[in-house]
């Protein structure tokens, strides 16, 4: 018997979407948003507290090593400062691992600031001592440049437009800043490294700016442009119109109508 042929089936994917009504009210949505914000804030506080704790811990370890190292901060603190600071660092370290282990961010920041009151002056002396030579060298170089210009530009036609008053202003400023520089070098030279400096790097930079602001504008004052004389234009010659004797319409010369002179 003939078997019935099975029909061939073709599968096709049908696209569809499901739409559901919004089940939450506005109040419920707002409440969930507030919960998410609270969770985010809680995470932020935990993270910031951990960062503050780590910063305090790192400062304790870092400064404890530096104040006993001759190549770092040891030369810039007295024995008394070194002893007191070392004791404070050890005390804060013990606190950090005991009752301060679960402290708040603000407490960690407060403890760090207390330690920095002792450590910052020592670090400042180190900074000043390491950067002072370059700052002084820069100021000295600036003074030498301007003093040399004042000496070599005298009588130079390129600077003839600079007045004597302006040159005196520059000279006076260079002399006063130079005197200040050598006075500070003399005073600073007699101080130990573990004493606060009499002159700071910032004040040296300020003096350099002071003399530059005074002298540089005068030194680079542009020469006045030469006056150009205006050429006077000569008035153009005007031709006088020539008047001709009127002619008769026929072209004949006009008749002489004057009376003949009587002969005597």
């Amino acid at each position: 018997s003939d078997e019935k042929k099975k029909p061939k089936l073709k599968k096709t994917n049908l696209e569809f979407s499901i739409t559901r009504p919004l089940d939450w009210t506005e109040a419920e949505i707002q409440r969930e948003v507030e919960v998410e914000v609270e969770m985010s804030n809680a995470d932020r506080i935990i993270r910031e507290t951990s960062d503050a704790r780590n910063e305090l811990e790192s400062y304790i370890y870092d400064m404890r090593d530096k104040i006993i190292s001759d190549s770092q901060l040891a030369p810039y603190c007295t024995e008394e400062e070194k002893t007191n600071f070392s004791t404070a660092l050890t005390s804060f370290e013990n606190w950090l691992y005991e009752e301060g282990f679960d402290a708040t961010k603000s407490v960690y920041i407060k403890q760090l600031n207390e330690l920095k009151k002792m450590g910052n002056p020592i670090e400042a002396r180190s900074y000043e001592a390491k950067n002072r030579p370059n700052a002084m060298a820069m100021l000295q170089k600036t003074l030498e440049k301007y003093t040399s210009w004042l000496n070599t530009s005298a009588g130079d036609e390129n600077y003839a437009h600079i007045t004597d008053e302006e040159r005196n202003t520059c000279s006076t400023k260079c002399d006063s800043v130079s005197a200040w520089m050598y006075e500070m070098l003399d005073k600073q030279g007699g101080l130990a490294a573990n004493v606060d400096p009499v002159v700071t790097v910032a004040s040296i930079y300020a003096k350099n700016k002071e003399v530059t602001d005074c002298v540089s504008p005068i030194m680079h004052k542009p020469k006045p442009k030469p006056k150009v004389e205006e050429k006077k234009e000569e008035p153009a010659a005007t031709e006088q119109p020539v008047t001709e004797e009127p002619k008769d319409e026929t072209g004949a010369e006009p008749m002489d109508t004057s009376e003949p002179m009587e002969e005597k």
Side-chain angles (χ1 to χ4, degrees):
S1 62
D2 296 336
E3 294 183 359
K4 293 182 179 180
K5 294 182 179 180
K6 295 182 179 179
K8 294 181 179 180
L9 300 178
K10 183 180 179 181
K11 295 182 179 180
T12 303
N13 293 328
L14 298 178
E15 295 182 359
F16 68 96
S17 61
I18 300 176
T19 304
R20 295 177 179 173
L22 184 62
D23 297 329
W24 287 6
T25 64
E26 286 296 328
E28 290 173 329
I29 293 174
Q30 184 62 31
R31 184 171 62 251
E32 292 301 320
V33 170
E34 291 174 356
V35 170
E36 185 175 354
V37 170
E38 289 177 2
M39 292 175 62
S40 177
N41 287 337
D43 290 341
R44 178 181 55 81
I45 292 172
I46 292 172
R47 184 175 61 255
E48 291 178 354
T49 301
S50 177
D51 290 343
R53 186 180 188 280
N54 291 337
E55 186 178 2
L56 174 59
E57 185 179 38
S58 297
Y59 185 83
I60 292 172
Y61 292 152
D62 188 46
M63 295 302 288
R64 187 170 58 189
D65 292 337
K66 285 183 176 179
I67 60 174
I68 60 175
S69 173
D70 290 334
S71 63
Q72 297 189 62
L73 296 179
Y76 306 104
C77 55
T78 64
E79 287 300 322
E80 182 181 359
E81 287 175 327
K82 188 184 301 182
T83 300
N84 293 340
F85 195 23
S86 180
T87 300
L89 290 170
T90 301
S91 174
F92 277 64
E93 181 185 12
N94 293 334
W95 172 86
L96 187 61
Y97 294 118
E98 294 173 1
E99 65 266 26
F101 188 80
D102 293 324
T104 61
K105 170 188 170 182
S106 60
V107 172
Y108 288 137
I109 293 175
K110 180 181 178 182
Q111 298 290 68
L112 179 60
N113 290 337
E114 288 296 319
L115 288 176
K116 285 186 174 182
K117 287 179 182 179
M118 305 177 72
N120 283 353
I122 301 172
E123 288 187 301
R125 292 173 200 152
S126 173
Y127 169 83
E128 293 293 334
K130 293 175 181 177
N131 291 278
R132 189 184 308 114
N134 287 339
M136 278 295 187
M138 177 195 63
L139 177 58
Q140 188 172 14
K141 186 176 180 180
T142 299
L143 289 170
E144 289 174 354
K145 178 181 71 173
Y146 291 140
T147 302
S148 175
W149 170 75
L150 285 169
N151 294 332
T152 57
S153 64
D156 190 334
E157 284 298 320
N158 292 322
Y159 298 101
H161 59 288
I162 296 177
T163 66
D164 291 339
E165 183 180 358
E166 289 173 327
R167 296 179 65 85
N168 288 335
T169 298
C170 296
S171 180
T172 300
K173 178 59 67 176
C174 287
D175 289 344
S176 65
V177 173
S178 179
W180 176 88
M181 179 183 69
Y182 286 112
E183 180 185 1
M184 293 299 103
L185 285 172
D186 184 58
K187 289 182 177 180
Q188 186 61 46
L191 294 180
N194 58 10
V195 178
D196 290 340
V198 294
V199 58
T200 63
V201 172
S203 65
I204 299 171
Y205 285 143
K207 282 293 180 180
N208 188 78
K209 184 177 185 302
E210 179 183 324
V211 69
T212 299
D213 288 348
C214 174
V215 181
S216 184
I218 297 175
M219 178 180 176
H220 297 96
K221 177 182 175 182
K223 294 175 67 174
K225 294 181 180 180
K227 294 182 179 179
V228 179
E229 294 185 1
E230 296 181 359
K231 293 183 179 180
K232 295 182 179 179
E233 295 183 359
E234 296 181 358
T238 55
E239 295 182 357
Q240 296 293 333
V242 178
T243 56
E244 296 181 354
E245 291 286 340
K247 292 185 178 181
D248 187 54
E249 291 182 359
T250 59
E253 294 290 334
M255 184 181 296
D256 186 3
T257 57
S258 58
E259 296 181 359
M261 297 180 63
E262 296 179 0
E263 294 182 0
K264 294 184 180 180

